Amino acid sequence: FEPQVLLLDEPLSALDANMREEMRVEIKKIQKETGITAIFVTHDQEEALSMSDRIVVMNAGAVEQIGTPEQVYETPATAFVADFLGKANMLAGTVSRSGQTVVLGTGQTISVACPRP
């Protein structure tokens, strides 16, 4: 029996913290040795970031972002992704027409590097 894809739906959810860590390492090792594509479903951000080559972040059945762990963590596409992957600092504000400054709700203006409109 040699499947092309292995689907793991929350396989570590019932394990204690120490066993989870050991199993993460073991699953990753087996996956690398066999070369099988594995889809690993988890609600644990640390698990997703440490075990994945690519991550799909979903919200209510819709895809919010797809990318490498680094891309998703460092440049979240939406506020949901930023909040889901860690405690994000969210500041309400208005972006200027030029996209070079943001006026915060407090009235303070900050300069920004905006990679997209």
Side-chain angles (χ1 to χ4, degrees):
F1 183 67
E2 295 182 20
Q4 293 180 346
V5 177
L6 180 62
L7 175 60
L8 302 163
D9 189 0
E10 303 252 8
L12 309 180
S13 62
L15 302 177
D16 65 52
N18 290 336
M19 184 60 78
R20 283 178 86 117
E21 181 59 34
E22 289 178 37
M23 292 307 297
R24 282 184 203 161
V25 171
E26 193 63 29
I27 289 171
K28 190 74 173 167
K29 179 181 161 195
I30 291 169
Q31 191 269 329
K32 292 281 187 195
E33 287 174 358
T34 62
I36 191 169
T37 297
I39 299 173
F40 191 98
V41 178
T42 184
H43 288 87
D44 185 306
Q45 296 84 345
E46 185 179 333
E47 246 171 48
L49 292 169
S50 68
M51 295 188 67
S52 303
D53 297 321
R54 293 184 54 77
I55 293 178
V56 177
V57 179
M58 298 182 73
N59 180 16
V63 173
E64 292 274 331
Q65 186 171 357
I66 301 172
T68 66
E70 294 80 15
Q71 290 169 334
V72 174
Y73 185 79
E74 292 175 8
T75 55
T78 66
F80 176 84
V81 174
D83 189 52
F84 183 75
L85 290 179
K87 295 299 176 198
N89 291 320
M90 304 280 186
L91 302 172
T94 305
V95 178
S96 67
R97 288 183 193 253
S98 68
Q100 301 300 310
T101 60
V102 174
V103 179
L104 300 177
T106 61
Q108 184 179 14
T109 301
I110 58 172
S111 296
V112 295
C114 188
R116 60 181 185 254

